[in-house]
């Protein structure tokens, strides 16, 4: 095999001029524009995560800020940019990929530890410097970890609501999702959304702290609660939304122009009243929450899916925190109808897999299959099964 140094598929920044493979992305313009914006905001270092505002594992193109800025398209990573340095942290799954995609503007840090990111920042940002991030893209835990890493260092962790990457990405940024948000047919739901809401309100009433509202930030929580589905994110049947459920009101924040007529009818059939869903624009969620949190209220939320930005809006004494919201826990417990639906889905999937294995037995000896055509074939077999809505992740196909 060729020696590592002779590999032409990864970058080599030690030569003059540096060697870049054809897969590397030139990020000089993006970095220059971001640095200008950072200067305008008085920011010495800016942190860019790979997540979106709902802590999703998979994200929409519109949210792949890390990919646009660095050229690196792995699913997990963090970038930090200063006026004269730029670094990417990612885990061992992606080291080779990063060496193929990054240009020589970037240092690759082979770890994901926030402590390591913090130490790097302390080395390159002088005392008195501002380290900034978008608080609506960081979980509460991650924010706290950065806060600890920089504590007492003479540098300030400064949340900025304007996302600086979005500012420089401008009108090149992909548009928001526009597909239809529709109701799941009754035969595919374990219970009506009204029953689910009643169940959550019952839990609120039984809790010793008597919360007056539940805040839902996880996209699957809102989708499950209202039996709604969308396709905003590849491989996920969900849509961008927040929900604030109180004892007497239901506020659903989404792009309501995308709601199918039947879905809107289902949500608003019982208006006015405690089972009437008020439809508000997705962008209004934080302002609405800020207003609600001024009252004599207690807001119950799951910290795993709530960003530091939303969390910070609510005064500490009005918060009831659990790792997961009561909706996430209710969703995790399947009733007999849901169990039956799950089993039936697995049987249909098993049929597709068995058809695939039989096809492989015939085709592989003829030398007619490669990993890619194999993946395409199993996708087609699954698609042919009744009720298929596409795969839940890109088929992972490997041989040898």
């Amino acid at each position: 095999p060729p020696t590592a140094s002779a590999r032409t598929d990864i970058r080599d920044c030690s030569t003059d001029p540096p060697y870049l493979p054809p897969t590397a992305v030139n990020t000089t313009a993006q970095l220059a524009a971001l640095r200008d914006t950072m200067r305008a905001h008085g920011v010495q270092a800016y942190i860019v995560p790979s997540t979106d505002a709902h802590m999703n594992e998979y994200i929409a193109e519109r949210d792949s800020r890390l990919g646009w800025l660095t050229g690196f398209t792995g699913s997990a990573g963090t970038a930090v940019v200063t006026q004269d340095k730029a670094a990417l942290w990612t885990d061992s799954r992606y080291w080779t990929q990063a060496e193929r995609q990054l240009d020589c503007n970037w240092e690759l840090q082979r770890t994901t530890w926030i402590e390591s990111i913090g130490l790097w920042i302390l080395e390159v940002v002088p005392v008195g410097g501002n380290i900034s991030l978008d608080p609506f893209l960081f979980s509460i835990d991650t924010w706290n970890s950065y806060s600890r890493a920089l504590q007492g260092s003479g540098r300030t962790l400064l949340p900025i609501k304007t996302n600086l990457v979005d500012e420089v990405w401008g009108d090149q940024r992909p548009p928001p999702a526009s597909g239809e948000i529709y109701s799941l047919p009754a035969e595919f739901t374990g219970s009506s959304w009204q029953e689910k809401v009643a169940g959550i309100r019952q839990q609120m009433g039984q809790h010793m702290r008597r919360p007056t509202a539940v805040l839902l930030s996880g996209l699957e929580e809102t989708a499950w609660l209202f039996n709604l589905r969308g396709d905003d994110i590849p491989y996920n049947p969900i849509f961008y939304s927040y929900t604030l459920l109180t004892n007497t009101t239901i506020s659903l924040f989404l792009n309501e122009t995308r709601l199918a007529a039947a879905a809107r009818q289902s949500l608003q059939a019982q208006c006015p009243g405690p089972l009437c869903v008020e439809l508000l624009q997705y962008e209004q969620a934080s302002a609405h929450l800020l207003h609600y949190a001024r009252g004599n209220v207690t807001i119950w939320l799951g910290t795993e899916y709530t960003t530091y930005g939303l969390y910070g809006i609510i005064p500490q004494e009005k918060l009831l925190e659990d790792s997961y919201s009561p909706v996430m826990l209710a969703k995790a417990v399947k009733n007999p109808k849901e169990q039956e639906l799950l089993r039936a889905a697995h049987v249909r999937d098993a049929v597709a897999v068995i058809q695939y294995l039989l096809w492989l037995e015939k085709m592989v000896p003829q030398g007619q299959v490669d990993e890619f055509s194999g993946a395409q074939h199993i996708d087609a077999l699954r698609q042919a099964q009744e009720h298929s809505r596409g795969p839940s992740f890109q088929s992972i196909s490997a041989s040898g």
Side-chain angles (χ1 to χ4, degrees):
T3 57
S5 61
R7 284 180 60 173
T8 56
D9 64 334
I10 62 172
R11 64 182 184 157
D12 183 355
C13 298
S14 66
T15 62
D16 187 24
Y19 170 74
L20 292 176
T23 46
V25 177
N26 182 345
T27 60
T28 304
Q30 290 93 300
L31 281 167
L34 179 60
R35 285 169 172 149
D36 284 349
T37 303
M38 285 164 59
R39 271 196 299 275
H41 285 270
V43 168
Q44 280 68 52
Y46 192 62
I47 309 174
V48 181
S50 54
T51 52
D52 65 9
H54 301 272
M55 305 292 109
N56 288 308
E57 178 187 2
Y58 292 87
I59 55 171
E61 279 294 306
R62 180 177 171 78
D63 285 312
S64 74
R65 298 171 179 91
L66 188 74
W68 177 80
L69 182 67
T70 65
F72 169 72
T73 57
S75 70
T78 303
V80 182
V81 176
T82 68
Q83 282 306 327
D84 53 3
K85 283 187 159 42
L88 172 79
W89 283 257
T90 190
D91 65 76
S92 57
R93 291 175 299 171
Y94 292 122
W95 293 343
T96 304
Q97 179 177 338
E99 294 288 7
R100 289 173 178 164
Q101 293 183 316
L102 296 176
D103 65 7
C104 292
N105 287 312
W106 294 91
E107 300 169 20
L108 175 61
Q109 303 284 339
R110 292 177 158 80
T111 170
T112 53
W113 281 22
I114 289 176
E115 290 82 350
S116 136
I117 302 178
L119 287 170
W120 187 90
I121 289 172
L122 294 181
E123 240 169 66
V124 299
V125 174
V127 171
N130 288 329
I131 292 106
S132 246
L133 47 75
D134 177 344
F136 290 92
L137 292 181
F138 287 82
S139 71
I140 300 160
D141 282 353
T142 309
W143 166 274
N144 289 337
S145 301
Y146 279 109
S147 197
R148 275 195 300 275
L150 299 170
Q151 207 166 16
S153 71
R155 286 109 176 140
T156 308
L157 189 58
L158 183 73
I160 299 187
K161 284 182 184 170
T162 312
N163 188 294
L164 303 190
V165 173
D166 293 353
E167 205 168 279
V168 296
W169 202 350
D171 55 10
Q172 297 300 299
R173 190 179 171 209
S178 57
E180 189 176 64
I181 299 167
Y182 57 93
S183 289
L184 209 54
E187 63 267 26
F188 292 107
T189 62
S191 40
S192 71
W193 71 260
Q194 291 90 343
E195 289 165 337
K196 292 176 180 179
V197 164
I200 301 302
R201 281 177 169 158
Q202 190 180 351
Q203 286 193 52
M204 289 161 68
Q206 288 165 351
H207 198 286
M208 56 194 281
R209 284 207 41 208
R210 292 295 160 97
T212 58
V214 175
L215 173 67
L216 306 179
S217 294
L219 298 187
E220 54 195 73
E221 300 180 285
T222 289
W224 177 84
L225 184 63
F226 297 111
N227 294 329
L228 295 174
R229 297 292 184 268
D231 61 358
D232 293 14
I233 296 177
Y235 308 113
N236 289 266
I238 50 185
F239 52 92
Y240 288 101
S241 55
Y242 293 98
T243 299
L244 188 67
L245 171 67
T246 78
N247 292 316
T248 52
T249 64
I250 310 168
S251 305
L252 171 57
F253 303 87
L254 78 176
N255 178 348
E256 61 164 307
T257 58
R258 296 172 47 204
L259 265 182
R264 180 187 295 266
Q265 172 57 33
S266 144
L267 296 172
Q268 301 201 304
Q270 300 181 38
C271 290
L275 286 174
C276 165
V277 179
E278 180 190 13
L279 302 172
L280 296 152
Q281 281 308 314
Y282 174 78
E283 293 74 20
Q284 291 175 295
S286 20
H288 188 92
L289 183 64
L290 180 66
H291 179 75
Y292 181 77
R294 288 191 183 125
N296 179 21
V297 297
T298 302
I299 300 167
W300 196 0
L301 53 78
T303 52
E304 285 290 317
Y305 288 89
T306 307
T307 61
Y308 182 76
L310 277 183
Y311 176 81
I313 288 173
I314 307 163
Q316 208 58 44
E317 68 279 3
K318 296 180 181 182
L319 263 170
L320 167 55
E321 299 174 48
D322 278 316
S323 294
Y324 298 99
S325 78
V327 171
M328 203 56 114
L329 294 178
K331 172 184 171 293
V333 181
K334 307 299 181 190
N335 64 29
K337 170 90 182 285
E338 289 168 321
Q339 292 177 29
E340 182 193 318
L341 288 163
L342 275 171
R343 288 191 193 99
H346 277 287
V347 169
R348 291 194 299 273
D349 193 65
V351 170
V353 174
I354 292 163
Q355 289 172 331
Y356 179 57
L357 295 175
L358 184 66
W359 178 82
L360 280 181
E361 276 179 25
K362 284 182 185 160
M363 302 303 285
V364 170
Q366 300 171 24
Q368 296 295 312
V369 188
D370 59 28
E371 291 168 346
F372 185 67
S373 66
Q376 285 183 306
H377 190 68
I378 194 163
D379 285 350
L381 291 170
R382 286 190 160 124
Q383 195 61 53
Q385 285 295 323
E386 198 184 0
H387 309 308
S388 169
R389 302 294 304 213
S392 61
F393 56 86
Q394 191 172 5
S395 290
I396 297 170
S397 171
S399 69

